Amino acid sequence: DNENATAMPCENGMAGIYPCMGYDFMSNISLEIMSAESGNDIWGWTDEETGKEYALMGLDNGTAFIDISDAVNPIYLGKLPTATSASSWRDVKVYDDYAYIVSEANNHGVQIFD
């Protein structure tokens, strides 16, 4: 269960407890569900064949993959564990349907996810 919060419209600069600057709050998935202590980066990707949308989120201990095709009901698909040790910084970018993941952790290098 993703423990999604209820969607909230952006009104007077706030969507519930969150500052919003014109964007509605749709849902969230807790770090606990992703077995992580912190997150630091997020990147979107759309599968051209299916039209499904995904969020790829950098975590302290890996990279989470979330189906956000239904923004109110995101689905946590799983996590690619870090190549080395936990880190407060991880960056994700997508090019030609491959996710490229880097971290400042010693000897991490580049993880490539298809």
Side-chain angles (χ1 to χ4, degrees), residues 18-95:
Y18 303 102
C20 57
M21 297 180 66
Y23 293 93
D24 295 337
F25 176 88
M26 302 307 290
S27 60
N28 76 316
I29 296 177
S30 72
L31 289 169
E32 181 179 34
I33 287 173
M34 297 181 274
S35 299
E37 296 293 318
S38 63
N40 71 307
D41 186 35
I42 194 160
W43 191 260
W45 174 69
T46 302
D47 183 326
E48 292 181 15
E49 291 181 16
T50 66
K52 283 185 164 271
E53 296 179 311
Y54 298 89
L56 289 66
M57 183 173 177
L59 304 168
D60 61 316
N61 57 4
T63 304
F65 294 83
I66 304 162
D67 181 338
I68 57 169
S69 300
D70 177 354
V72 177
N73 298 295
I75 302 167
Y76 171 62
L77 301 172
K79 178 170 50 177
L80 176 65
T82 182
T84 55
S85 59
S87 167
S88 62
W89 180 82
R90 194 166 312 281
D91 194 30
V92 182
K93 297 294 183 273
V94 176
Y95 180 75

